[in-house]
Amino acid sequence: MSETDSLPTRCPGNEWCSITATATLIGKKWHPVIIHRLLNNGSAGFNELQEQVDGISSKVLSESLDDLEEKGLLDREVIEEKPVRVRYSLTETGESLETVVRALAEWGDEHLEPAEDGSTPA
């Protein structure tokens, strides 16, 4: 990624910390999941994403999509049909997170297992 493509982020304190900055971009609970679903399934409408991201409320999904778009990781396209629809897709920068998101999935597959009641750890 060239310097002109870099996303502006801040780190607390005086020193630059790339892990803190990256975690700030994708560290919210649903952000990596949304990115993962878009990587796996391609662009999607709001309702499709809500079905793919099991357990997310409409409000939280909407806020997460707005945040990812604001951060330059997601594109929002309004499709002028009746009814008007919106499709979400990853930007080139969002797609570049593939190795990060895949690494999270691989780590989880290796080290985590569902609770006996089917829930996941908090």
Side-chain angles (χ1 to χ4, degrees):
M1 179 182 298
S2 72
E3 196 170 282
T4 58
D5 294 337
S6 296
L7 298 172
T9 54
R10 303 217 185 281
C11 290
N14 296 325
E15 292 186 37
W16 168 250
C17 174
S18 59
I19 191 71
T20 302
T22 303
T24 300
L25 286 174
I26 65 166
K28 291 188 178 175
K29 179 177 180 178
W30 296 107
H31 286 38
V33 179
I34 293 167
I35 292 167
H36 180 260
R37 299 310 186 267
L38 290 170
L39 284 167
N40 280 352
N41 304 319
S43 67
F46 185 90
N47 291 335
E48 290 173 89
L49 276 172
Q50 191 166 22
E51 288 174 16
Q52 293 171 13
V53 182
D54 190 33
I56 193 169
S57 71
S58 294
K59 179 180 186 254
V60 171
L61 177 58
S62 180
E63 290 170 354
S64 296
L65 292 170
D66 289 345
D67 192 40
L68 289 167
E69 181 183 11
E70 183 180 305
K71 290 175 176 174
L73 302 175
L74 194 90
D75 277 330
R76 179 180 185 270
E77 177 189 7
V78 177
I79 300 171
E80 299 291 338
E81 296 177 351
K82 291 191 180 187
V84 173
R85 297 179 300 124
V86 175
R87 294 211 52 90
Y88 297 92
S89 59
L90 294 172
T91 62
E92 190 174 318
T93 304
E95 288 176 354
S96 73
L97 287 165
E98 182 171 10
T99 55
V100 175
V101 172
R102 299 260 186 252
L104 286 170
E106 289 171 13
W107 187 91
D109 289 343
E110 185 175 332
H111 297 285
L112 302 174
E113 59 184 62
E116 289 185 22
D117 65 2
S119 67
T120 55

Coordinates of all heavy atoms in Angstrom, one line a residue, residues 10-105:
R10 N -4.8 7.0 14.8 CA -4.0 7.6 15.9 C -3.8 6.5 16.9 O -4.6 5.6 17.1 CB -4.8 8.7 16.6 CG -5.2 9.8 15.6 CD -5.0 11.2 16.3 NE -5.5 12.3 15.4 CZ -4.8 12.8 14.5 NH1 -3.6 12.3 14.2 NH2 -5.2 13.8 13.8
C11 N -2.7 6.6 17.7 CA -2.4 5.7 18.8 C -2.4 6.5 20.0 O -1.9 7.7 20.0 CB -1.0 5.1 18.5 SG -1.0 3.9 17.2
P12 N -2.8 5.9 21.1 CA -2.7 6.7 22.4 C -1.2 6.8 22.8 O -0.4 5.9 22.4 CB -3.5 5.8 23.4 CG -3.6 4.5 22.8 CD -3.5 4.7 21.3
G13 N -0.9 7.8 23.5 CA 0.5 8.0 23.9 C 1.3 8.7 22.8 O 0.8 9.2 21.9
N14 N 2.6 8.6 22.9 CA 3.5 9.4 22.1 C 4.0 8.6 20.9 O 4.5 9.1 19.9 CB 4.7 9.9 22.9 CG 4.2 10.9 23.9 OD1 3.3 11.7 23.7 ND2 4.9 10.9 25.0
E15 N 4.0 7.2 21.0 CA 4.7 6.4 20.0 C 3.6 5.8 19.1 O 2.6 5.4 19.5 CB 5.5 5.3 20.6 CG 6.7 5.8 21.3 CD 7.6 4.7 21.8 OE1 7.7 3.7 21.1 OE2 8.2 4.9 22.9
W16 N 4.0 5.7 17.8 CA 3.1 5.0 16.8 C 3.1 3.5 17.1 O 4.2 2.9 17.4 CB 3.7 5.3 15.4 CG 3.1 4.4 14.4 CD1 3.7 3.4 13.7 CD2 1.7 4.4 13.9 NE1 2.8 2.8 12.8 CE2 1.6 3.4 12.9 CE3 0.6 5.2 14.2 CZ2 0.4 3.2 12.2 CZ3 -0.6 5.0 13.5 CH2 -0.7 4.0 12.5
C17 N 2.0 2.9 17.0 CA 1.9 1.5 17.3 C 1.0 0.9 16.2 O -0.3 1.1 16.3 CB 1.4 1.2 18.7 SG 1.1 -0.6 19.0
S18 N 1.5 0.2 15.3 CA 0.7 -0.3 14.2 C -0.4 -1.3 14.7 O -1.5 -1.4 14.1 CB 1.5 -1.0 13.1 OG 2.3 -2.0 13.6
I19 N -0.1 -2.1 15.7 CA -1.1 -3.1 16.2 C -2.2 -2.4 16.8 O -3.4 -2.7 16.6 CB -0.5 -4.2 17.1 CG1 -1.4 -5.3 17.3 CG2 0.0 -3.6 18.4 CD1 -1.7 -6.2 16.1
T20 N -2.0 -1.3 17.6 CA -3.0 -0.5 18.2 C -3.9 0.1 17.1 O -5.1 0.1 17.2 CB -2.5 0.5 19.2 OG1 -1.7 -0.2 20.1 CG2 -3.6 1.3 19.8
A21 N -3.2 0.7 16.1 CA -4.0 1.4 15.0 C -4.8 0.4 14.3 O -6.0 0.7 14.0 CB -3.0 2.1 14.1
T22 N -4.3 -0.8 14.0 CA -5.1 -1.8 13.2 C -6.2 -2.3 14.1 O -7.4 -2.5 13.6 CB -4.2 -3.0 12.8 OG1 -3.1 -2.5 12.0 CG2 -4.9 -4.0 12.0
A23 N -6.0 -2.6 15.4 CA -7.0 -3.0 16.2 C -8.1 -2.0 16.3 O -9.3 -2.3 16.4 CB -6.5 -3.3 17.6
T24 N -7.8 -0.7 16.3 CA -8.8 0.4 16.3 C -9.7 0.3 15.1 O -10.9 0.5 15.2 CB -8.1 1.8 16.4 OG1 -7.3 1.8 17.5 CG2 -9.1 2.9 16.4
L25 N -9.1 -0.1 13.9 CA -9.9 -0.2 12.7 C -10.8 -1.4 12.7 O -12.0 -1.2 12.3 CB -9.0 -0.2 11.5 CG -8.2 1.0 11.1 CD1 -7.3 0.7 9.9 CD2 -9.2 2.1 10.6
I26 N -10.3 -2.5 13.1 CA -11.2 -3.7 13.0 C -11.5 -4.4 14.3 O -12.0 -5.5 14.3 CB -10.5 -4.7 12.0 CG1 -9.2 -5.3 12.6 CG2 -10.3 -4.2 10.6 CD1 -8.6 -6.5 12.0
G27 N -11.2 -3.7 15.4 CA -11.3 -4.4 16.7 C -12.7 -4.4 17.3 O -12.9 -5.1 18.3
K28 N -13.6 -3.8 16.7 CA -15.0 -3.8 17.3 C -15.5 -5.2 17.0 O -15.2 -5.9 16.0 CB -15.9 -2.8 16.7 CG -15.5 -1.4 17.1 CD -16.5 -0.4 16.6 CE -16.0 1.0 17.1 NZ -16.9 2.1 16.7
K29 N -16.4 -5.7 17.9 CA -16.9 -7.1 18.0 C -17.3 -7.6 16.6 O -16.8 -8.7 16.2 CB -18.1 -7.2 18.9 CG -18.6 -8.6 19.0 CD -19.7 -8.7 20.0 CE -20.3 -10.1 20.1 NZ -21.3 -10.2 21.1
W30 N -18.0 -6.9 15.8 CA -18.6 -7.5 14.6 C -17.8 -7.2 13.3 O -18.0 -7.7 12.3 CB -20.0 -7.1 14.4 CG -20.9 -7.6 15.5 CD1 -21.5 -6.9 16.5 CD2 -21.3 -9.0 15.6 NE1 -22.2 -7.7 17.3 CE2 -22.2 -9.0 16.8 CE3 -21.1 -10.1 14.9 CZ2 -22.7 -10.2 17.3 CZ3 -21.7 -11.3 15.4 CH2 -22.5 -11.3 16.6
H31 N -16.8 -6.2 13.4 CA -16.1 -5.8 12.2 C -15.4 -6.9 11.5 O -15.5 -7.1 10.3 CB -15.1 -4.7 12.6 CG -15.8 -3.4 12.8 ND1 -17.0 -3.2 13.4 CD2 -15.4 -2.1 12.5 CE1 -17.3 -1.9 13.5 NE2 -16.3 -1.2 12.9
P32 N -14.6 -7.8 12.2 CA -13.9 -8.9 11.5 C -14.9 -9.9 10.9 O -14.6 -10.4 9.8 CB -13.0 -9.5 12.6 CG -12.9 -8.5 13.7 CD -14.1 -7.7 13.6
V33 N -16.0 -10.1 11.6 CA -17.0 -11.0 11.1 C -17.6 -10.5 9.8 O -17.8 -11.3 8.8 CB -18.1 -11.3 12.1 CG1 -19.1 -12.2 11.6 CG2 -17.5 -11.8 13.4
I34 N -18.0 -9.2 9.7 CA -18.5 -8.6 8.5 C -17.5 -8.7 7.4 O -17.9 -9.1 6.3 CB -19.0 -7.2 8.8 CG1 -20.1 -7.1 9.8 CG2 -19.3 -6.5 7.5 CD1 -20.4 -5.8 10.4
I35 N -16.3 -8.4 7.7 CA -15.2 -8.4 6.6 C -15.1 -9.9 6.2 O -15.0 -10.1 4.9 CB -13.9 -7.8 7.2 CG1 -14.0 -6.3 7.4 CG2 -12.7 -8.1 6.2 CD1 -12.9 -5.7 8.3
H36 N -15.1 -10.8 7.1 CA -14.9 -12.2 6.7 C -16.1 -12.7 5.8 O -15.8 -13.3 4.8 CB -14.9 -13.1 8.0 CG -14.8 -14.5 7.7 ND1 -15.9 -15.4 7.7 CD2 -13.7 -15.3 7.4 CE1 -15.5 -16.6 7.5 NE2 -14.2 -16.6 7.3
R37 N -17.3 -12.3 6.1 CA -18.5 -12.7 5.3 C -18.4 -12.1 3.9 O -18.7 -12.7 2.9 CB -19.8 -12.3 5.9 CG -20.1 -13.0 7.3 CD -19.9 -14.5 7.3 NE -20.3 -15.0 8.6 CZ -19.5 -15.3 9.6 NH1 -18.2 -15.0 9.5 NH2 -19.9 -15.8 10.7
L38 N -17.9 -10.8 3.8 CA -17.8 -10.2 2.5 C -16.6 -10.8 1.7 O -16.7 -10.9 0.5 CB -17.6 -8.7 2.7 CG -18.9 -7.9 3.1 CD1 -18.6 -6.5 3.5 CD2 -20.0 -8.0 2.1
L39 N -15.6 -11.2 2.4 CA -14.5 -11.9 1.7 C -15.0 -13.2 1.1 O -14.6 -13.6 0.0 CB -13.3 -12.1 2.7 CG -12.4 -10.9 3.0 CD1 -11.5 -11.2 4.2 CD2 -11.6 -10.5 1.8
N40 N -15.7 -13.9 1.9 CA -16.2 -15.3 1.5 C -17.3 -15.2 0.5 O -17.3 -16.1 -0.4 CB -16.7 -16.1 2.7 CG -15.5 -16.7 3.5 OD1 -14.4 -16.6 3.1 ND2 -15.9 -17.2 4.6
N41 N -18.2 -14.3 0.6 CA -19.4 -14.3 -0.2 C -19.5 -13.2 -1.2 O -20.5 -13.1 -2.0 CB -20.6 -14.3 0.7 CG -20.6 -15.4 1.7 OD1 -20.3 -16.6 1.4 ND2 -21.0 -15.1 3.0
G42 N -18.6 -12.3 -1.2 CA -18.7 -11.1 -2.1 C -19.7 -10.1 -1.6 O -20.2 -10.2 -0.5
S43 N -20.0 -9.1 -2.4 CA -20.9 -8.0 -2.0 C -22.3 -8.6 -1.6 O -22.7 -9.7 -2.0 CB -21.1 -7.0 -3.1 OG -21.8 -7.6 -4.2
A44 N -22.9 -7.8 -0.7 CA -24.2 -8.3 -0.1 C -25.0 -7.1 0.3 O -24.5 -6.0 0.6 CB -23.9 -9.2 1.1
G45 N -26.3 -7.3 0.2 CA -27.3 -6.3 0.8 C -27.3 -6.4 2.3 O -26.8 -7.3 2.9
F46 N -28.0 -5.5 2.9 CA -28.1 -5.4 4.3 C -28.8 -6.7 4.9 O -28.2 -7.3 5.8 CB -29.0 -4.2 4.7 CG -29.0 -3.9 6.2 CD1 -28.1 -3.2 6.8 CD2 -30.0 -4.5 7.0 CE1 -28.1 -3.0 8.2 CE2 -30.1 -4.3 8.3 CZ -29.1 -3.5 9.0
N47 N -29.9 -7.1 4.3 CA -30.6 -8.3 4.9 C -29.7 -9.5 4.7 O -29.7 -10.4 5.6 CB -31.9 -8.5 4.2 CG -32.9 -7.4 4.6 OD1 -32.8 -6.8 5.7 ND2 -33.9 -7.1 3.8
E48 N -29.0 -9.6 3.6 CA -28.1 -10.8 3.4 C -27.0 -10.8 4.4 O -26.7 -11.9 5.0 CB -27.4 -10.7 2.0 CG -28.3 -10.9 0.8 CD -27.6 -10.6 -0.5 OE1 -26.9 -11.6 -1.0 OE2 -27.6 -9.5 -0.9
L49 N -26.4 -9.7 4.7 CA -25.4 -9.6 5.7 C -25.9 -9.9 7.1 O -25.3 -10.6 7.9 CB -24.8 -8.2 5.7 CG -23.6 -8.0 4.7 CD1 -23.2 -6.5 4.7 CD2 -22.4 -8.9 5.0
Q50 N -27.1 -9.5 7.4 CA -27.7 -9.8 8.7 C -27.9 -11.3 8.9 O -27.7 -11.8 9.9 CB -29.0 -9.0 8.9 CG -29.5 -9.1 10.4 CD -30.5 -8.1 10.7 OE1 -31.2 -7.6 9.9 NE2 -30.7 -7.9 12.0
E51 N -28.3 -12.0 7.8 CA -28.5 -13.4 7.8 C -27.1 -14.1 8.0 O -27.0 -15.1 8.7 CB -29.2 -13.9 6.6 CG -30.6 -13.6 6.5 CD -31.3 -14.0 5.2 OE1 -30.6 -14.8 4.4 OE2 -32.3 -13.5 4.9
Q52 N -26.1 -13.6 7.3 CA -24.7 -14.2 7.4 C -24.0 -13.9 8.7 O -23.2 -14.7 9.1 CB -23.9 -13.6 6.2 CG -24.4 -14.0 4.8 CD -23.6 -13.2 3.7 OE1 -22.6 -12.6 4.0 NE2 -24.2 -13.3 2.5
V53 N -24.4 -12.9 9.4 CA -23.7 -12.5 10.6 C -24.7 -12.8 11.7 O -25.4 -12.0 12.3 CB -23.3 -11.0 10.7 CG1 -22.6 -10.7 12.0 CG2 -22.4 -10.7 9.5
D54 N -24.8 -14.1 12.1 CA -25.8 -14.6 13.0 C -25.6 -13.9 14.4 O -24.5 -13.8 14.9 CB -25.6 -16.1 13.2 CG -26.7 -16.8 14.0 OD1 -27.8 -16.3 13.9 OD2 -26.4 -17.7 14.7
G55 N -26.7 -13.4 14.9 CA -26.7 -12.8 16.2 C -26.6 -11.3 16.3 O -26.6 -10.7 17.3
I56 N -26.4 -10.6 15.1 CA -26.2 -9.2 15.1 C -27.6 -8.5 14.9 O -28.4 -9.0 14.1 CB -25.2 -8.7 14.0 CG1 -24.8 -7.3 14.2 CG2 -25.7 -9.0 12.6 CD1 -23.6 -6.9 13.3
S57 N -27.8 -7.5 15.7 CA -29.0 -6.7 15.5 C -28.9 -5.8 14.3 O -27.8 -5.4 13.9 CB -29.3 -5.9 16.8 OG -28.4 -4.8 16.9
S58 N -30.1 -5.3 13.8 CA -30.1 -4.4 12.7 C -29.4 -3.1 13.1 O -28.6 -2.6 12.2 CB -31.6 -4.0 12.3 OG -32.2 -5.2 11.8
K59 N -29.6 -2.6 14.3 CA -29.0 -1.4 14.7 C -27.4 -1.5 14.7 O -26.7 -0.6 14.2 CB -29.5 -1.0 16.1 CG -28.8 0.3 16.6 CD -29.4 0.6 18.0 CE -28.9 2.0 18.5 NZ -27.9 1.9 19.5
V60 N -26.9 -2.6 15.3 CA -25.5 -2.8 15.4 C -24.9 -3.0 14.0 O -23.8 -2.5 13.7 CB -25.2 -3.9 16.4 CG1 -23.7 -4.3 16.3 CG2 -25.6 -3.6 17.8
L61 N -25.6 -3.8 13.2 CA -25.1 -4.0 11.8 C -25.0 -2.7 11.1 O -24.0 -2.4 10.4 CB -26.0 -5.0 11.1 CG -25.6 -5.2 9.6 CD1 -24.2 -5.7 9.5 CD2 -26.6 -6.2 8.9
S62 N -26.0 -1.9 11.2 CA -26.1 -0.5 10.5 C -24.9 0.3 11.0 O -24.2 0.9 10.2 CB -27.4 0.1 10.8 OG -27.4 1.4 10.1
E63 N -24.7 0.4 12.3 CA -23.6 1.2 12.9 C -22.2 0.6 12.4 O -21.3 1.4 12.1 CB -23.7 1.2 14.4 CG -24.9 2.0 14.9 CD -25.1 1.8 16.4 OE1 -24.4 1.0 17.0 OE2 -26.0 2.5 17.0
S64 N -22.1 -0.7 12.4 CA -20.8 -1.3 12.0 C -20.5 -1.0 10.5 O -19.4 -0.7 10.2 CB -20.9 -2.8 12.2 OG -21.0 -3.1 13.6
L65 N -21.5 -1.1 9.7 CA -21.4 -0.8 8.2 C -21.0 0.6 8.0 O -20.1 0.9 7.2 CB -22.6 -1.2 7.5 CG -23.0 -2.7 7.4 CD1 -24.3 -2.9 6.8 CD2 -21.9 -3.5 6.6
D66 N -21.6 1.5 8.7 CA -21.3 2.9 8.6 C -19.8 3.2 9.1 O -19.1 3.9 8.4 CB -22.2 3.8 9.5 CG -23.6 3.9 8.9 OD1 -23.8 3.6 7.8 OD2 -24.5 4.3 9.7
D67 N -19.4 2.5 10.2 CA -18.1 2.7 10.7 C -17.0 2.2 9.7 O -16.0 2.8 9.4 CB -18.0 2.0 12.1 CG -16.7 2.4 12.8 OD1 -16.3 3.5 12.7 OD2 -16.1 1.5 13.4
L68 N -17.3 1.0 9.2 CA -16.4 0.4 8.2 C -16.3 1.2 6.9 O -15.2 1.4 6.3 CB -16.8 -1.1 7.9 CG -16.5 -2.1 9.0 CD1 -17.3 -3.4 8.7 CD2 -15.1 -2.3 9.2
E69 N -17.4 1.8 6.5 CA -17.4 2.7 5.3 C -16.6 4.0 5.6 O -15.8 4.4 4.8 CB -18.8 3.0 4.9 CG -18.9 3.9 3.7 CD -20.3 4.3 3.3 OE1 -21.2 4.1 4.1 OE2 -20.4 4.9 2.2
E70 N -16.8 4.5 6.8 CA -16.1 5.8 7.2 C -14.6 5.5 7.3 O -13.8 6.4 6.9 CB -16.7 6.2 8.6 CG -16.1 7.5 9.0 CD -16.6 7.9 10.4 OE1 -17.9 8.0 10.5 OE2 -15.8 8.1 11.3
K71 N -14.2 4.3 7.7 CA -12.8 4.0 7.8 C -12.2 3.6 6.4 O -11.0 3.3 6.4 CB -12.6 2.9 8.8 CG -12.9 3.4 10.2 CD -12.8 2.3 11.2 CE -13.0 2.8 12.6 NZ -13.1 1.8 13.6
G72 N -13.0 3.6 5.4 CA -12.5 3.3 4.1 C -12.3 1.8 3.8 O -11.6 1.4 2.8
L73 N -12.9 0.9 4.6 CA -12.8 -0.5 4.4 C -13.9 -1.1 3.6 O -13.9 -2.2 3.1 CB -12.7 -1.2 5.7 CG -11.5 -0.8 6.6 CD1 -11.6 -1.4 8.0 CD2 -10.2 -1.0 5.9
L74 N -15.0 -0.3 3.4 CA -16.2 -0.8 2.8 C -16.8 0.2 1.9 O -16.7 1.4 2.2 CB -17.2 -1.1 4.0 CG -18.4 -1.9 3.7 CD1 -18.1 -3.3 4.0 CD2 -19.5 -1.4 4.7
D75 N -17.4 -0.2 0.8 CA -18.1 0.6 -0.1 C -19.6 0.4 0.0 O -20.0 -0.8 0.2 CB -17.7 0.4 -1.6 CG -16.5 1.1 -2.0 OD1 -16.2 2.2 -1.5 OD2 -15.7 0.6 -2.9
R76 N -20.4 1.4 -0.1 CA -21.8 1.3 0.0 C -22.4 1.8 -1.4 O -22.1 3.0 -1.8 CB -22.4 2.2 1.1 CG -23.9 2.2 1.3 CD -24.2 3.1 2.4 NE -25.6 3.1 2.7 CZ -26.5 3.9 2.2 NH1 -26.1 4.8 1.3 NH2 -27.8 3.8 2.5
E77 N -23.1 1.0 -2.1 CA -23.6 1.3 -3.4 C -25.1 1.3 -3.3 O -25.7 0.3 -3.0 CB -23.1 0.3 -4.4 CG -23.7 0.6 -5.8 CD -23.4 -0.5 -6.8 OE1 -22.8 -1.6 -6.4 OE2 -23.7 -0.4 -8.0
V78 N -25.8 2.4 -3.7 CA -27.2 2.5 -3.8 C -27.6 2.0 -5.2 O -27.2 2.6 -6.2 CB -27.7 3.9 -3.5 CG1 -29.2 4.0 -3.6 CG2 -27.3 4.3 -2.1
I79 N -28.5 1.0 -5.2 CA -29.0 0.5 -6.5 C -30.4 1.1 -6.7 O -31.3 0.8 -6.0 CB -29.0 -1.0 -6.5 CG1 -27.6 -1.5 -6.2 CG2 -29.6 -1.6 -7.8 CD1 -27.5 -3.0 -6.0
E80 N -30.5 1.9 -7.8 CA -31.7 2.7 -8.1 C -32.7 1.8 -8.8 O -32.9 1.9 -10.0 CB -31.4 3.9 -8.9 CG -30.4 4.9 -8.2 CD -31.1 5.6 -7.0 OE1 -32.3 5.7 -6.9 OE2 -30.3 6.1 -6.2
E81 N -33.3 0.9 -8.1 CA -34.3 0.0 -8.6 C -35.5 0.2 -7.6 O -35.4 0.9 -6.6 CB -33.9 -1.5 -8.6 CG -32.8 -1.8 -9.5 CD -32.4 -3.3 -9.4 OE1 -32.9 -4.0 -8.5 OE2 -31.6 -3.7 -10.2
K82 N -36.6 -0.3 -8.0 CA -37.8 -0.3 -7.1 C -38.0 -1.7 -6.5 O -38.2 -2.6 -7.3 CB -39.0 0.2 -7.8 CG -38.9 1.7 -8.1 CD -40.2 2.2 -8.6 CE -40.0 3.7 -8.9 NZ -41.1 4.4 -9.2
P83 N -37.8 -1.9 -5.2 CA -37.4 -0.9 -4.2 C -35.9 -0.6 -4.3 O -35.2 -1.4 -4.8 CB -37.8 -1.5 -2.9 CG -37.7 -3.0 -3.2 CD -38.1 -3.2 -4.6
V84 N -35.6 0.6 -3.8 CA -34.2 1.0 -3.8 C -33.4 0.0 -2.9 O -33.9 -0.3 -1.8 CB -34.0 2.4 -3.3 CG1 -32.5 2.8 -3.1 CG2 -34.7 3.4 -4.3
R85 N -32.3 -0.4 -3.3 CA -31.5 -1.4 -2.5 C -30.1 -0.8 -2.3 O -29.6 0.1 -3.0 CB -31.4 -2.7 -3.2 CG -32.7 -3.4 -3.4 CD -32.5 -4.8 -4.1 NE -32.0 -4.6 -5.4 CZ -30.9 -5.3 -5.8 NH1 -30.2 -6.1 -5.1 NH2 -30.4 -5.1 -7.1
V86 N -29.4 -1.4 -1.3 CA -28.0 -1.0 -1.0 C -27.2 -2.3 -1.0 O -27.6 -3.3 -0.4 CB -27.9 -0.2 0.3 CG1 -26.5 0.0 0.7 CG2 -28.7 1.0 0.3
R87 N -26.0 -2.2 -1.6 CA -25.1 -3.3 -1.6 C -23.8 -2.9 -1.0 O -23.3 -1.8 -1.2 CB -24.8 -3.9 -3.0 CG -26.1 -4.5 -3.6 CD -25.9 -5.6 -4.5 NE -25.1 -6.8 -4.1 CZ -25.6 -7.9 -3.5 NH1 -26.8 -7.9 -3.1 NH2 -24.8 -8.9 -3.3
Y88 N -23.2 -3.7 -0.2 CA -21.9 -3.4 0.5 C -20.9 -4.3 -0.1 O -21.1 -5.5 -0.3 CB -22.1 -3.7 2.0 CG -23.1 -2.7 2.6 CD1 -24.4 -3.1 2.8 CD2 -22.7 -1.5 3.0 CE1 -25.3 -2.3 3.3 CE2 -23.7 -0.6 3.6 CZ -25.0 -1.0 3.7 OH -25.9 -0.1 4.3
S89 N -19.7 -3.8 -0.3 CA -18.5 -4.6 -0.7 C -17.3 -4.0 -0.1 O -17.3 -2.8 0.4 CB -18.5 -4.5 -2.3 OG -18.3 -3.2 -2.7
L90 N -16.3 -4.8 -0.1 CA -15.0 -4.3 0.5 C -14.3 -3.5 -0.5 O -14.3 -3.7 -1.7 CB -14.1 -5.5 0.9 CG -14.7 -6.4 2.0 CD1 -13.8 -7.7 2.1 CD2 -14.7 -5.6 3.3
T91 N -13.6 -2.4 0.0 CA -12.7 -1.7 -0.8 C -11.4 -2.5 -1.0 O -11.2 -3.5 -0.4 CB -12.3 -0.3 -0.1 OG1 -11.6 -0.6 1.1 CG2 -13.5 0.5 0.1
E92 N -10.5 -2.0 -1.8 CA -9.2 -2.7 -2.0 C -8.5 -2.8 -0.6 O -7.9 -3.8 -0.3 CB -8.4 -1.9 -3.0 CG -7.1 -2.6 -3.4 CD -6.4 -1.9 -4.5 OE1 -7.0 -1.3 -5.5 OE2 -5.1 -1.8 -4.4
T93 N -8.6 -1.7 0.2 CA -8.0 -1.7 1.5 C -8.6 -2.8 2.4 O -8.0 -3.5 3.1 CB -8.0 -0.3 2.1 OG1 -7.4 0.6 1.2 CG2 -7.3 -0.3 3.5
G94 N -10.0 -2.8 2.3 CA -10.7 -3.9 3.1 C -10.3 -5.3 2.7 O -10.1 -6.1 3.5
E95 N -10.2 -5.5 1.3 CA -9.8 -6.8 0.8 C -8.4 -7.2 1.3 O -8.1 -8.3 1.5 CB -9.9 -6.8 -0.7 CG -11.3 -6.9 -1.2 CD -11.4 -6.8 -2.7 OE1 -10.3 -6.6 -3.4 OE2 -12.5 -6.9 -3.2
S96 N -7.5 -6.1 1.5 CA -6.2 -6.4 1.9 C -6.1 -7.0 3.4 O -5.1 -7.5 3.8 CB -5.3 -5.2 1.8 OG -5.6 -4.2 2.8
L97 N -7.2 -6.9 4.1 CA -7.3 -7.5 5.4 C -7.5 -9.0 5.4 O -7.6 -9.7 6.4 CB -8.4 -6.9 6.2 CG -8.1 -5.5 6.7 CD1 -9.4 -4.8 7.2 CD2 -7.1 -5.5 7.8
E98 N -7.6 -9.6 4.2 CA -7.9 -11.0 4.1 C -6.9 -11.9 4.9 O -7.4 -12.8 5.6 CB -7.8 -11.5 2.6 CG -8.2 -12.9 2.5 CD -8.4 -13.4 1.0 OE1 -8.1 -12.6 0.1 OE2 -8.9 -14.5 0.8
T99 N -5.6 -11.7 4.8 CA -4.7 -12.5 5.6 C -4.9 -12.4 7.1 O -4.8 -13.3 7.8 CB -3.2 -12.2 5.2 OG1 -3.0 -10.8 5.4 CG2 -2.9 -12.6 3.8
V100 N -5.2 -11.2 7.5 CA -5.5 -10.9 9.0 C -6.7 -11.7 9.4 O -6.7 -12.4 10.4 CB -5.6 -9.4 9.2 CG1 -6.0 -9.2 10.7 CG2 -4.4 -8.7 8.9
V101 N -7.8 -11.6 8.7 CA -9.1 -12.2 9.0 C -8.9 -13.7 8.9 O -9.4 -14.4 9.8 CB -10.2 -11.6 8.2 CG1 -11.5 -12.4 8.4 CG2 -10.4 -10.2 8.5
R102 N -8.3 -14.2 7.9 CA -8.1 -15.6 7.8 C -7.2 -16.2 8.9 O -7.5 -17.3 9.4 CB -7.4 -16.0 6.4 CG -8.3 -15.6 5.2 CD -9.1 -16.7 4.6 NE -9.7 -16.2 3.4 CZ -11.0 -16.0 3.3 NH1 -11.8 -16.3 4.4 NH2 -11.6 -15.6 2.2
A103 N -6.2 -15.4 9.3 CA -5.4 -15.8 10.5 C -6.2 -15.9 11.8 O -6.0 -16.9 12.5 CB -4.2 -14.9 10.7
L104 N -7.1 -15.0 12.0 CA -8.0 -15.1 13.1 C -8.9 -16.3 13.1 O -9.1 -17.0 14.1 CB -9.0 -13.8 13.2 CG -8.3 -12.5 13.6 CD1 -9.3 -11.4 13.4 CD2 -7.9 -12.5 15.0
A105 N -9.4 -16.6 11.9 CA -10.3 -17.8 11.7 C -9.4 -19.1 12.0 O -9.9 -20.0 12.7 CB -10.9 -17.9 10.3

